Structure formats: C-alpha cells, structure tokens
Amino acid sequence: MDELEIDAVAEVELDDPVLVEGLPGVGHVGSLAAEHLLEELEGESTLVRRIYSHEFPPKVSIEDGVADLTCAEIHAVSVPDGRDLLVLTGDHQAQTNDGHYVLASAFLDVAEEFGASELYALGGVPTGELIDEYAVVGAVSDESLVETLEDAGVEFREDEPAGGIVGVSGLLLGLGERRGFEAACLMGETSGYLVDPKSARAVLEVLEELLGFELDYESLDERADEMEDVIGKIQEMEQQQQQQQMDVPTDDDLRYIG
C-alpha cells in the first residue's frame, strides 16, 4: 500500500456541499456529533471515499471476526430542505506532525472534488471541570464569518482555546483558508475527562441553525444519561475520599496533656 490511498467507493452529485469533520478529540465531541449526524440521516447518506494512510495507527478493527484496516471515511449526505454535506468520520487522527498535514490536505482534496468550498470542523474545548451549561466556542478562517456564527449562538473568546487548535481541526482551518475555503471550528465546552454527548448535542444544535437541517436527539440523550450515571459515581467516590482525608487524625488531635 502507498503511504496515502483514497478509494473511490461511490460517485454522487451534490449541490454546493459543506464538509463537516468529526474525528476523535477532546471529549470525543466531534466524533460523537458526526456519528449522530450520520445515524439520523442514514437514509440520505452514501459512503463515497475511504482514506488509508501510513499515518494512522498500525491496527485493524474487528467486527464479527472480520478485519478492516484503519481508515477515515467520507459520507455524502443529501439533506432534505438543507445544505448537502460531506461528513468526515474515523476512529483515529494522524500520529505525526507531518501526517496531520498530509491527511488534512487529502480531506480538502476530496472536498474540492465534490465541489465544496465551505467547512466546519467539530470538536471540544476542555474546561478542566465538570459543567452543567454547554457553550460552543468558535474559531474561523476569516473575520467576516464571525457575525453569522454569533447569531447562531457561537461564542468568540480572546485567546481561547489556549494554545490554539491542534490536529486536523486546526489544520482544516489553516490549510482551508489558503485554498479558498470558508472554514470554521465549532468547539463544545467539555470537562475533557469523559466522552461527552451533551457537548456533542450543543455543537450539533449550532450546526442545525447554520445549515438548515433538523435532528432527533433521543439516542444521544440516552448516552448522555449513561454518562451522567458515571459522573455521579465519580463524584460520590471523590466525596468519600475527601471525607476519609478529613477523618484522618492530625498531630494536634493526637497530642495529649496529662
């Protein structure tokens, strides 16, 4: 196999499609969002490209005993009453700096092939603590895009995310801008500790507003409830540990006057 191979699985006609990237990252926010999008629009989607690369981890996935080499996939989605989509999914990002550039360029090549000139990278921005209200933070390739995203509820914060955007989402903005794409990154706030379906929903609700489609969130909400149970158990364990630390006698407690 060559270092990079793009398999043409199917050919479809799309009307001014938008590339939506959802590879794994902080809180798996982007990948959860992309997977839910495809799940809800399954009847309208077609797998069109598989991208293989030496930059992915050296492994295969196994389903019912059958092996599949690690790859990224792009699905074409014809959205009723909305913008057509190219949805990028996969289980891994590149393992090296060079690999991120190679794969991001390949994803943009496919997007251009199908006539896309606009893209949204989906991901998470870590807060470092558990949260109840999920804001969506934005970054764009050009200042002219800010107002439209703000109208859809996206927040733009000075110097956030701290350290910039690493990986495919950041490169799609940077390389996309150089190739004439209107590019934005939608980042749902997340603790960064666990898979975060609530943050994924917050990002998708913004995307709904921007691109004019509607989704059902029942299955995503069920996953969120499962994670709430996990979080509750973690918080209970933390409280128990804190209580145990408080119950440990100090030197003053052990001091005896007689």
Side-chain angles (χ1 to χ4, degrees):
M1 189 184 92
D2 293 335
E3 291 187 8
L4 178 74
E5 291 185 1
I6 301 176
D7 285 2
V9 180
E11 300 297 340
V12 298
E13 292 291 331
L14 297 174
D15 182 20
D16 190 26
V18 180
L19 176 65
V20 176
E21 174 266 319
L23 294 179
V26 178
H28 285 266
V29 175
S31 55
L32 275 177
E35 289 165 6
H36 187 74
L37 181 60
L38 289 176
E39 178 185 316
E40 291 301 312
L41 299 175
E42 182 179 5
E44 311 296 334
S45 68
T46 303
L47 175 63
V48 291
R49 295 291 185 272
R50 287 193 178 98
I51 298 97
Y52 297 91
S53 172
H54 289 185
E55 293 296 335
F56 288 130
K59 63 177 292 185
V60 296
S61 59
I62 305 294
E63 185 172 351
D64 297 328
V66 179
D68 280 318
L69 184 62
T70 295
C71 67
E73 295 183 338
I74 295 181
H75 293 75
V77 184
S78 296
V79 181
D81 303 320
R83 296 280 300 277
D84 288 345
L85 307 175
L86 289 166
V87 183
L88 168 62
T89 64
D91 293 329
H92 301 280
Q93 292 201 34
Q95 300 184 100
T96 68
N97 291 340
D98 288 345
H100 282 297
Y101 279 89
V102 169
L103 285 171
S105 295
F107 301 149
L108 291 170
D109 288 342
V110 174
E112 286 181 335
E113 181 184 351
F114 282 93
S117 59
E118 184 178 346
L119 71 86
Y120 291 94
L122 311 183
V125 58
T127 63
E129 59 184 7
L130 298 175
I131 55 177
D132 295 319
E133 299 294 329
Y134 290 81
V136 177
V137 179
V140 293
S141 59
D142 189 272
E143 189 177 355
S144 63
L145 305 174
V146 170
E147 184 176 354
T148 299
L149 267 65
E150 285 183 330
D151 289 344
V154 178
E155 297 182 11
F156 289 85
R157 302 171 181 173
E158 187 175 358
D159 300 326
E160 192 172 341
I165 305 172
V166 178
V168 65
S169 293
L171 284 182
L172 287 177
L173 264 67
L175 296 178
E177 187 274 333
R178 292 180 64 84
R179 291 168 65 158
F181 279 80
E182 292 186 351
C185 186
L186 305 178
M187 297 163 282
E189 285 190 320
T190 177
S191 67
Y193 302 142
L194 300 166
V195 175
D196 199 334
K198 286 189 174 181
S199 183
R201 174 168 181 164
V203 168
L204 282 172
E205 287 175 342
V206 169
L207 203 63
E208 282 183 306
E209 178 73 18
L210 292 167
L211 299 182
F213 59 82
E214 293 184 3
L215 300 175
D216 183 89
Y217 289 103
E218 182 177 357
S219 63
L220 199 60
D221 289 343
E222 288 176 356
R223 296 187 68 172
D225 290 340
E226 293 172 359
M227 294 310 301
E228 284 293 319
D229 290 340
V230 173
I231 291 170
K233 291 177 181 177
I234 292 173
Q235 290 174 325
E236 183 178 343
M237 291 173 61
E238 290 176 343
Q239 291 172 357
Q240 290 175 349
Q241 290 174 349
Q242 291 172 357
Q243 185 61 47
Q244 289 172 356
Q245 291 171 355
M246 292 174 61
D247 291 342
V248 173
T250 66
D251 290 343
D252 288 337
D253 295 327
L254 296 174
R255 191 168 292 130
Y256 170 66
I257 300 177

